[in-house]
Amino acid sequence: MNTVTELQTKMQQVVSVVKSTTPLAPSITNTVTINFVANTQLAVGGSAAMIYLPDEGITLAQMANSFYLNSGTLEPFYTETFPATAKAMHEQHKNWVLDPVALGIGTMRTNLMHEFKSYKPTIIKGNASEIIALASLWELIHHQDSTVKGVDTTDTVDAARQAAVALAQYTSGAVVVSGTDDLVTDGQQVIMSHGGSPMMGLITGAGCSLGGVINVYATSTDPLTAALTGVQIYNLAGQRAAELANGPASFQTAFIDALYHATAEEIAHNPFDVEAI
Amino acid sequence: MNTVTELQTKMQQVVSVVKSTTPLAPSITNTVTINFVANTQLAVGGSAAMIYLPDEGITLAQMANSFYLNSGTLEPFYTETFPATAKAMHEQHKNWVLDPVALGIGTMRTNLMHEFKSYKPTIIKGNASEIIALASLWELIHHQDSTVKGVDTTDTVDAARQAAVALAQYTSGAVVVSGTDDLVTDGQQVIMSHGGSPMMGLITGAGCSLGGVINVYATSTDPLTAALTGVQIYNLAGQRAAELANGPASFQTAFIDALYHATAEEIAHNPFDVEAI
Amino acid sequence: MNTVTELQTKMQQVVSVVKSTTPLAPSITNTVTINFVANTQLAVGGSAAMIYLPDEGITLAQMANSFYLNSGTLEPFYTETFPATAKAMHEQHKNWVLDPVALGIGTMRTNLMHEFKSYKPTIIKGNASEIIALASLWELIHHQDSTVKGVDTTDTVDAARQAAVALAQYTSGAVVVSGTDDLVTDGQQVIMSHGGSPMMGLITGAGCSLGGVINVYATSTDPLTAALTGVQIYNLAGQRAAELANGPASFQTAFIDALYHATAEEIAHNPFDVEAI
């Protein structure tokens, strides 16, 4: 189990490494927020690359240390691209980040999530409803009805705690439940990160782009540190942007600018609590 | 026929209901402006969800009270997704909003619009050229040559008045013709809504996102009120944003912020005229 | 060979013509930056239209004087749409702009670039790695290993000079190599355009949208003038936006606003050097 100080040190390290190396952090992600994902990745120091085709997924899986898979807007050919990419990352023992957006809508999404079980995403990030639904689908918890409303959650972060821990223990990775306070767990400890702003729920893609930024950090550190660093910079930048914003769009602009200016030390010292499970 | 006061009351009601219920307002829309559509929907209080696959359309058609279909960037699988979704909404007697973007370009678009005739969109929103082209295609008016230039209109709102009324009478719904002043009709009365800004023509998706915002309101009121409320908040926010903007991009930011701040009373009292047909 | 004064005169002419005619400037481009491409095209006075389907490409190829093809995010049906559109433009002796984004990733991209050789794009715009890779693929230079990192270059503009000249001589068109200073050549002379900002590398789509803006100008002038005008307005607007920006997102807003305000005379007089080859 990591102490607060150990986590802070690891966070500072990965932020610095990313800023000095501009790591390639590819994604297969939805068309709604794809631009926002790329711009947040660039703002924190990553190199973004988005693809649709299976062989491109496999090629980038060779080149990159981490990959982001987001199921927001599925297209027919994703039945091949998604599993091929996840498999390639898994077989190379590399990190990959799964954002099971809108799990429960449509059969392709459910089928893909079933397939992903064997490719064990090293980081899973979702809202409470999605995390509960995924842990239920993978039969890691007793079935809970999580009444997904499109892409929005209807459950609280606290309600998803058991599901998150179960997923992290199954994957031996990290799980993020985004919400008012964000939960991060590696199955051994639960970390609650504070900050952010209600404004983040008023722009599309706050969650998707968090997955993209975690992916950038996951190129250069372990899953728990990557997940926590992403959550911390989001809570820090969200709070700062809210002070400057006059509405959702000016918030979004200020938010990306705040991501860009956040220093390693500020990110590491955004408030968070650690507890054993 | 509604009086001005009745329309104002209905508008205030739907704006308040939407802000307190965050209704699911799904879309199948083009990749150019999909992010802007989602962000405007969130700014007025809706919950956005965009999809591509047929079974997802049918699933969301069960969950949502209104759906937005925009033909801007057609992909091959839309031949199935679009009609399946429109049919599902029609059979459930729910609202759905059609934006016949770029009608006249390509055979799939024309074929889809033919199919939509039997699924009677309860709200149709387009620029003057698109409204004329759709009424001609559905043989509701004598054929007029509307010389579409890509996605931009080459006709005036006034020239599309007869076409708009004919479409509304055929669908028993509402029709919006966007332009300098915007026309809204239910086939019984014609409403002209004033305001906006020439800047709206300098950002891509002013029209698409209006369709998305009307879709949000259409989850919670009748077609005429939904269409008028959308047009009114757009004219109000457009005018306010233009006062703050230094160009198209700062206009877009100020516009979304203004959508977010517009109150039910302000929206209802944006200037508009009502006349019988 | 054009003198500086001749080039300035031609640039002023095309900027004025575009602002007064709003020419249709269609694109097949990637989903990451498609919105930014459209908004920059509108800001400089063009009319944007994006499509995916083959027959729509052919239809717009009849209507428009120039077309933009960007290979950023390939989808399966592009094997038909891309060549059909390029062929239609070539056979009509019209301009078309190729942005060979991420050349080297995946087999479809390589195959498409092979096909494009016979449809001779009148303008090619890429970063140094892409320009070297394309000239190598077309066997116009001795093979150089250009180690593409996703969509980012790992080569300098200077290293791509020979490749750019060879491509321009082969197509009898113009080639742009984007970088700190931007190179433009028609195979007879090499022009270096100065300005811009490092911030342009921190927003996704600076390069893609430059291709889109060049496409707007290419509707109304020769390839060299179109390419140079696009590069000049980008360097001018980039520099101005950097003075106002507080980070990448506020830079992007200021950049589009600066594109909108740039006058023909300012664009023509942004610093550039001309040399014979």
Side-chain angles (χ1 to χ4, degrees):
Chain A
M1 183 170 150
N2 297 280
T3 65
V4 166
T5 306
E6 285 166 352
L7 288 166
Q8 287 174 329
T9 301
K10 288 180 182 177
M11 283 192 274
Q12 293 203 44
Q13 282 168 343
V14 69
V15 171
S16 300
V17 167
V18 159
K19 289 196 183 196
S20 61
T21 58
T22 322
L24 179 64
S27 304
I28 307 169
T29 190
N30 69 74
T31 58
V32 184
T33 65
I34 192 168
N35 181 270
F36 186 37
V37 171
N39 274 324
T40 54
Q41 292 185 309
L42 267 58
V44 303
S47 173
M50 278 70 176
I51 58 98
Y52 291 96
L53 302 179
D55 76 324
E56 298 180 1
I58 292 167
T59 300
L60 288 175
Q62 301 292 336
M63 297 169 65
N65 288 332
S66 185
F67 221 118
Y68 176 45
L69 273 61
N70 173 307
S71 63
T73 53
L74 300 178
E75 302 193 47
F77 39 92
Y78 281 11
T79 51
E80 197 179 342
T81 307
F82 262 134
T85 304
K87 184 167 183 284
M89 297 309 284
H90 177 65
E91 290 179 352
Q92 296 175 89
H93 308 288
K94 289 179 175 176
N95 287 329
W96 69 279
V97 183
L98 173 64
D99 193 343
V101 177
L103 178 52
I105 309 274
T107 55
M108 188 196 288
R109 195 170 276 108
T110 302
N111 292 341
L112 285 170
M113 296 302 155
H114 269 300
E115 285 195 80
F116 289 154
K117 187 179 180 186
S118 53
Y119 303 135
K120 295 190 178 180
T122 58
I123 301 172
I124 299 168
K125 186 216 70 65
N127 62 38
S129 293
E130 291 158 353
I131 294 299
I132 293 169
L134 189 65
S136 293
L137 187 76
W138 287 0
E139 300 182 336
L140 304 174
I141 58 170
H142 285 288
H143 180 72
Q144 293 181 27
D145 282 321
S146 79
T147 50
V148 177
K149 188 178 76 174
V151 298
D152 293 334
T153 187
T154 56
D155 297 290
T156 63
V157 169
D158 202 52
R161 182 184 173 112
Q162 188 203 346
V165 170
L167 285 167
Q169 289 178 345
Y170 170 72
T171 60
S172 304
V175 174
V176 175
V177 188
S178 58
T180 306
D181 291 316
D182 301 294
L183 182 153
V184 183
T185 182
D186 62 354
Q188 310 300 319
Q189 56 192 146
V190 168
I191 306 169
M192 297 302 298
S193 171
H194 311 294
S197 161
M199 273 285 169
M200 298 185 78
L202 292 170
I203 57 170
T204 189
C208 302
S209 64
L210 171 57
V213 164
I214 289 172
N215 184 39
V216 171
Y217 293 127
T219 61
S220 308
T221 189
D222 63 274
L224 182 70
T225 303
L228 181 59
T229 308
V231 165
Q232 289 275 104
I233 192 173
Y234 262 56
N235 278 328
L236 176 73
Q239 195 161 27
R240 289 188 174 169
E243 291 162 13
L244 300 170
N246 187 38
S250 52
F251 172 80
Q252 184 162 10
T253 301
F255 177 71
I256 294 175
D257 285 356
L259 287 179
Y260 172 72
H261 286 294
T263 67
E265 193 177 340
E266 290 168 342
I267 295 164
H269 289 86
N270 183 71
F272 66 97
D273 308 312
V274 183
E275 48 185 290
I277 289 170
Chain B
M1 183 169 152
N2 297 280
T3 65
V4 166
T5 307
E6 285 165 352
L7 288 166
Q8 288 174 329
T9 302
K10 288 180 183 176
M11 283 193 273
Q12 293 203 44
Q13 283 169 344
V14 70
V15 171
S16 300
V17 167
V18 159
K19 289 196 182 194
S20 60
T21 59
T22 321
L24 178 64
S27 303
I28 308 169
T29 191
N30 70 74
T31 58
V32 184
T33 66
I34 194 167
N35 181 269
F36 187 37
V37 171
N39 274 325
T40 54
Q41 291 184 310
L42 267 57
V44 303
S47 173
M50 277 72 175
I51 59 96
Y52 291 96
L53 302 179
D55 76 323
E56 298 180 2
I58 292 167
T59 299
L60 288 176
Q62 301 291 336
M63 297 169 66
N65 289 331
S66 185
F67 221 118
Y68 177 44
L69 274 61
N70 174 306
S71 62
T73 53
L74 299 177
E75 303 193 46
F77 40 91
Y78 280 12
T79 51
E80 197 179 343
T81 308
F82 261 135
T85 304
K87 184 168 185 282
M89 296 309 283
H90 178 65
E91 289 179 352
Q92 296 176 90
H93 308 288
K94 289 179 175 177
N95 287 329
W96 70 279
V97 182
L98 173 64
D99 193 343
V101 177
L103 178 52
I105 309 275
T107 55
M108 188 196 287
R109 195 170 275 109
T110 302
N111 292 342
L112 285 171
M113 295 302 155
H114 269 300
E115 285 195 81
F116 289 154
K117 186 178 180 187
S118 54
Y119 302 134
K120 294 189 179 181
T122 59
I123 301 171
I124 300 168
K125 185 216 71 65
N127 63 38
S129 293
E130 290 158 353
I131 294 298
I132 292 169
L134 189 66
S136 293
L137 187 75
W138 288 0
E139 301 183 335
L140 303 175
I141 58 170
H142 285 289
H143 180 71
Q144 294 181 27
D145 283 321
S146 79
T147 50
V148 177
K149 188 178 77 176
V151 299
D152 293 335
T153 187
T154 56
D155 297 290
T156 65
V157 170
D158 202 52
R161 182 185 172 112
Q162 188 204 347
V165 169
L167 285 167
Q169 289 177 344
Y170 170 72
T171 61
S172 304
V175 174
V176 175
V177 187
S178 58
T180 306
D181 291 316
D182 301 294
L183 183 154
V184 184
T185 181
D186 62 354
Q188 309 302 318
Q189 56 191 145
V190 168
I191 306 168
M192 297 302 299
S193 172
H194 310 294
S197 161
M199 273 285 169
M200 298 185 78
L202 291 171
I203 57 171
T204 189
C208 301
S209 64
L210 172 57
V213 164
I214 289 173
N215 185 39
V216 171
Y217 293 128
T219 62
S220 309
T221 189
D222 64 272
L224 182 69
T225 304
L228 181 58
T229 308
V231 165
Q232 289 275 104
I233 193 173
Y234 262 56
N235 279 327
L236 176 73
Q239 195 160 27
R240 289 189 175 169
E243 291 163 13
L244 300 170
N246 187 39
S250 53
F251 173 80
Q252 185 161 11
T253 302
F255 177 71
I256 294 176
D257 285 358
L259 287 178
Y260 173 71
H261 287 293
T263 67
E265 194 177 338
E266 290 169 342
I267 296 164
H269 288 87
N270 183 71
F272 66 97
D273 308 312
V274 183
E275 48 184 290
I277 288 171
Chain C
M1 182 170 151
N2 297 279
T3 65
V4 166
T5 306
E6 284 166 352
L7 289 166
Q8 287 173 329
T9 301
K10 288 180 183 177
M11 282 193 273
Q12 293 203 44
Q13 282 170 344
V14 71
V15 171
S16 300
V17 167
V18 159
K19 289 197 182 193
S20 61
T21 59
T22 322
L24 179 63
S27 304
I28 307 169
T29 190
N30 70 73
T31 58
V32 184
T33 65
I34 193 167
N35 181 269
F36 186 37
V37 171
N39 274 325
T40 54
Q41 291 185 310
L42 268 56
V44 302
S47 173
M50 278 72 175
I51 59 96
Y52 291 96
L53 302 179
D55 75 324
E56 298 181 2
I58 292 167
T59 299
L60 288 175
Q62 300 292 336
M63 298 169 66
N65 289 331
S66 185
F67 220 118
Y68 177 45
L69 274 61
N70 172 307
S71 62
T73 53
L74 299 178
E75 303 193 47
F77 40 91
Y78 281 11
T79 50
E80 197 179 342
T81 307
F82 262 134
T85 304
K87 184 168 182 283
M89 296 309 283
H90 178 64
E91 289 179 352
Q92 297 175 88
H93 308 289
K94 290 179 175 176
N95 287 329
W96 70 280
V97 182
L98 174 63
D99 193 344
V101 177
L103 178 53
I105 310 274
T107 55
M108 189 195 290
R109 195 170 276 108
T110 302
N111 291 342
L112 285 171
M113 296 302 155
H114 269 301
E115 286 195 80
F116 289 154
K117 187 178 180 186
S118 54
Y119 302 134
K120 294 189 179 180
T122 58
I123 301 171
I124 300 168
K125 186 216 70 67
N127 62 38
S129 294
E130 291 157 352
I131 294 299
I132 293 169
L134 189 66
S136 293
L137 187 75
W138 288 1
E139 301 183 334
L140 303 174
I141 57 171
H142 285 289
H143 180 72
Q144 293 182 27
D145 283 321
S146 79
T147 51
V148 177
K149 187 177 78 176
V151 298
D152 294 335
T153 188
T154 56
D155 297 290
T156 64
V157 170
D158 202 51
R161 182 185 172 112
Q162 187 203 348
V165 169
L167 285 167
Q169 288 177 345
Y170 170 72
T171 61
S172 304
V175 174
V176 175
V177 187
S178 58
T180 306
D181 291 316
D182 301 295
L183 182 153
V184 183
T185 181
D186 63 352
Q188 310 300 319
Q189 55 192 144
V190 168
I191 306 169
M192 296 302 298
S193 172
H194 311 293
S197 162
M199 273 284 168
M200 299 185 77
L202 291 171
I203 57 171
T204 188
C208 301
S209 64
L210 172 57
V213 164
I214 289 173
N215 184 39
V216 171
Y217 293 128
T219 62
S220 309
T221 190
D222 64 273
L224 182 70
T225 303
L228 181 59
T229 308
V231 165
Q232 288 276 103
I233 193 173
Y234 262 55
N235 279 327
L236 177 72
Q239 194 160 27
R240 289 189 176 169
E243 291 163 14
L244 300 170
N246 186 39
S250 53
F251 173 80
Q252 184 161 11
T253 300
F255 178 71
I256 294 176
D257 285 357
L259 287 179
Y260 173 71
H261 287 294
T263 67
E265 195 177 338
E266 290 168 341
I267 295 163
H269 289 86
N270 183 72
F272 66 97
D273 308 312
V274 183
E275 48 185 290
I277 288 171

